[in-house]
Amino acid sequence: AFGLYFPRKEYSENVYIDQPAGTPLLRIHALRDSHGEVAHFHLCQNLIISRARSHENHWFQIREKTGLLYLSKSLDREDFNMLSVGNWMPLSKVMLYVFLSSHPFQEKECDSATRTTVFLSLINATAPACSSLTARQLCFTEMDLSFHIKENKPPGTFHQLQLPSVHHLCQNLSISYKLLAAEGMPFRYTENTTGVSVTQRLDREERERYELIAKCTVREGFREMQVEVPFLVNVLDEDDSPPFLPNGTDTTDAVVEFNRKEGTVLATLTVYDADTTPIYPLESSRKKYTGTIITDDPWISETFRVEHIFDEIHFSPNGSQVRGTQHEY
């Protein structure tokens, strides 16, 4: 078991000058590796301003049990100048790490292997008025809605469509969502929380990628605006399926004639692996399966060899394209 994991490698959000303390910025989710796990989130108290500089974090905090990242202190212009390269810059980017554990974090514990990166754009301006924002800005962040879910893991909520910062700022607007998906897809949208959940264990060998649409409707008085964006889920592989032979046979006859040139192919055997794809360096894939001539005759060992060639292929279970590997010996 690998434990809890993040369905995104990174998150991003904008932070404006003089947003009040307590302003929610974004919600980070975790998925379970096994039933019974409870997620705990922790923020290390260092902001990375550039590769060479870091600064103690006085402005951001995360709720340990919910993953809600929020402003614990208002960011004023003096703070912005300190965190930016110079006060002439309209925008400064800082980075922080959120760590994940199945047990409560101890004070200053920042060595968990499970972490995700949050990029915050500090903008040298106050937050814009809601009326000046487009429907796209009101509904979705600049991040792609793309997620990675491991196969064979318990179901759970992995994203919230509602933007905490916009919901906090623009309470006079009505913003609602729908998740458009083909019938039978293993995902559910819950309206009262705007959460998106995976409803069952996924199998990468059945389907590797799901393409959905997130639809948002903004209503202000009699005015209505709608925007749709792609919502993509990629299924991460677990090495859980044995290799198989395309024609069911694990033997082949080799006929050796006289005067064959070196390099002549005498026989071939093909093995399919729907579980993995070729990875690099190539030696890593080559070592997974080896071809060996079993003989006590030294002349045979010196005269014949098994060569291993592998390529990516595609299977089509249930009409969906899934990557795999073809090994030829």
Side-chain angles (χ1 to χ4, degrees):
F2 294 99
L4 296 156
Y5 68 97
F6 291 105
R8 290 186 66 97
K9 293 180 180 178
E10 60 186 49
Y11 294 80
S12 64
E13 188 51 89
N14 295 331
V15 181
Y16 296 90
I17 284 178
D18 295 333
Q19 282 184 290
T23 299
L25 298 176
L26 60 89
R27 188 180 294 276
I28 296 172
H29 288 83
L31 287 170
R32 296 173 296 168
D33 185 85
S34 58
H35 285 291
E37 287 180 314
V38 178
H40 297 267
F41 301 90
H42 181 66
L43 195 63
C44 277
Q45 293 306 306
N46 269 330
L47 294 173
I48 294 130
I49 303 169
S50 66
R51 291 184 179 180
R53 291 204 304 145
S54 65
H55 195 286
E56 188 174 354
N57 172 28
H58 301 291
W59 302 272
F60 308 102
Q61 194 49 263
I62 195 167
R63 299 202 187 282
E64 182 178 346
K65 294 184 178 179
T66 64
L68 180 67
L69 184 74
Y70 64 95
L71 271 171
S72 55
K73 176 182 179 296
S74 182
L75 183 78
D76 59 29
R77 293 190 185 276
E78 185 178 339
D79 297 329
F80 177 88
N81 293 340
M82 179 173 54
L83 293 173
S84 63
V85 178
N87 56 15
W88 55 272
M89 295 283 288
L91 179 147
S92 178
K93 284 206 170 186
V94 299
M95 182 173 74
L96 48 84
Y97 295 120
V98 175
F99 291 82
L100 181 62
S101 176
S102 57
H103 60 81
F105 279 87
Q106 302 300 313
E107 189 68 23
K108 296 183 179 179
E109 182 184 354
C110 289
D111 56 356
S112 168
T114 308
R115 74 180 188 185
T116 190
T117 307
V118 178
F119 294 95
L120 297 173
S121 296
L122 310 183
I123 298 174
N124 191 10
T126 56
C130 297
S131 59
S132 69
L133 298 175
T134 65
R136 178 69 171 79
Q137 292 170 315
L138 289 166
C139 293
F140 304 106
T141 67
E142 296 172 3
M143 296 185 294
D144 291 335
L145 293 182
S146 180
F147 306 90
H148 296 84
I149 298 179
K150 295 181 180 180
E151 67 171 338
N152 304 321
K153 304 304 178 188
T157 300
F158 62 94
H159 183 63
Q160 181 182 7
L161 285 171
Q162 183 185 76
L163 303 182
S165 55
V166 171
H167 180 69
H168 181 79
L169 181 68
C170 306
Q171 296 183 12
N172 292 332
L173 293 177
S174 170
I175 303 175
S176 59
Y177 296 89
K178 284 185 178 179
L179 191 65
L180 308 179
E183 188 176 349
M185 278 199 180
F187 303 99
R188 179 177 63 239
Y189 169 67
T190 305
E191 188 172 353
N192 62 342
T193 64
T194 74
V196 181
S197 305
V198 56
T199 59
Q200 65 187 51
R201 293 173 183 263
L202 304 181
D203 184 351
R204 194 202 72 90
E205 287 72 63
E206 290 295 322
R207 184 157 183 168
E208 189 172 9
R209 181 180 173 91
Y210 294 88
E211 298 181 8
L212 304 88
I213 297 290
K215 179 179 179 180
C216 176
T217 303
V218 181
R219 295 182 182 88
E220 184 180 15
F222 295 104
R223 191 167 66 120
E224 181 177 293
M225 298 176 288
Q226 293 185 340
V227 60
E228 296 181 357
V229 298
F231 190 102
L232 307 176
V233 178
N234 296 284
V235 185
L236 296 182
D237 189 67
E238 185 177 59
D239 199 357
D240 63 337
S241 299
F244 63 94
L245 301 150
N247 56 10
T249 179
D250 60 357
T251 58
T252 185
D253 292 329
V255 178
V256 185
E257 299 176 347
F258 287 103
N259 298 325
R260 296 295 92 187
K261 292 183 179 180
E262 182 179 350
T264 299
V265 176
L266 304 173
T268 60
L269 190 65
T270 301
V271 180
Y272 286 166
D273 186 351
D275 211 29
T276 58
T277 59
I279 58 174
Y280 297 90
L282 290 178
E283 284 307 308
S284 298
S285 287
R286 202 179 302 280
K287 289 175 182 175
K288 184 174 181 182
Y289 303 120
T290 59
T292 306
I293 298 176
I294 302 173
T295 179
D296 295 327
D297 189 330
W299 179 81
I300 291 179
S301 300
E302 293 170 4
T303 308
F304 302 96
R305 68 175 182 268
V306 177
E307 288 193 353
H308 180 194
I309 302 169
F310 52 92
D311 295 292
E312 183 174 287
I313 58 170
H314 293 89
F315 302 97
S316 298
N318 303 321
S320 173
Q321 197 172 74
V322 175
R323 294 175 301 154
T325 308
Q326 174 179 287
H327 297 265
E328 278 198 307
Y329 298 90

